[in-house]
C-alpha cells in the first residue's frame, strides 16, 4: 500500500505533524492509535511499538555549546606618539 504520511495520518484520525513526531519518537504513541495503525498497515502492534525506544525517564543529552569566536577586531595597542598617522604639511 503506497500512501503518503499525510494520508496515513488522515486515515488514523490525527494530524500529519503528530504522525511525524510519533515516527521520530518525539511524541509517545497511544495504545488506541497503535491498534488503528495495526489495522491500517496490517502489522502487529508489537512490531509498531518498540519498547526499547520508550524510556520515559530518559533525559536527552544536552546539545554541545557552539564555539563563540570574537567578532570584533583585536584591541589596538598603545602607540608611541611619533608613530601616529601622518598629516599633510603645508609647504610654502
Amino acid at each position: 500500500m503506497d500512501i503518503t504520511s499525510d494520508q496515513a495520518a488522515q486515515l488514523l484520525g490525527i494530524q500529519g505533524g503528530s504522525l511525524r513526531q510519533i515516527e521520530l519518537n518525539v511524541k509517545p504513541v497511544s495504545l488506541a492509535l497503535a491498534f488503528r495503525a495495526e489495522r491500517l498497515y496490517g502489522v502487529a502492534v508489537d512490531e509498531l511499538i518498540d519498547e526499547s525506544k520508550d524510556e520515559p525517564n530518559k533525559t536527552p543529552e544536552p546539545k554541545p555549546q557552539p564555539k563563540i569566536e570574537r567578532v570584533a577586531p583585536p584591541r589596538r595597542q598603545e602607540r608611541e606618539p611619533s608613530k601616529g598617522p601622518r598629516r599633510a604639511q603645508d609647504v610654502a
Side-chain angles (χ1 to χ4, degrees):
M1 175 189 318
D2 291 333
I3 60 173
T4 65
S5 60
D6 288 329
Q7 291 170 338
Q10 184 179 13
L11 291 170
L12 291 171
I14 60 174
Q15 297 292 320
S18 296
L19 180 60
R20 285 182 204 82
Q21 289 178 347
I22 292 169
E23 289 172 346
L24 298 172
N25 290 325
V26 174
K27 185 177 180 179
V29 63
S30 68
L31 196 55
L33 181 62
F35 280 109
R36 288 194 307 245
E38 176 186 37
R39 283 181 297 197
L40 177 65
Y41 293 117
V43 179
V45 174
D46 296 334
E47 293 179 25
L48 291 173
I49 300 175
D50 186 10
E51 295 294 329
S52 64
K53 293 180 182 176
D54 296 335
E55 297 178 12
N57 295 331
K58 182 181 176 186
T59 56
E61 294 182 19
K63 294 182 181 178
Q65 295 294 328
K67 184 178 177 182
I68 300 174
E69 296 181 11
R70 295 184 78 139
V71 177
R75 291 183 162 227
R76 297 173 75 176
Q77 301 294 328
E78 295 295 324
R79 296 184 178 184
E80 296 177 21
S82 62
K83 293 190 176 183
R86 298 183 184 238
R87 298 193 170 129
Q89 297 177 0
D90 293 335
V91 178

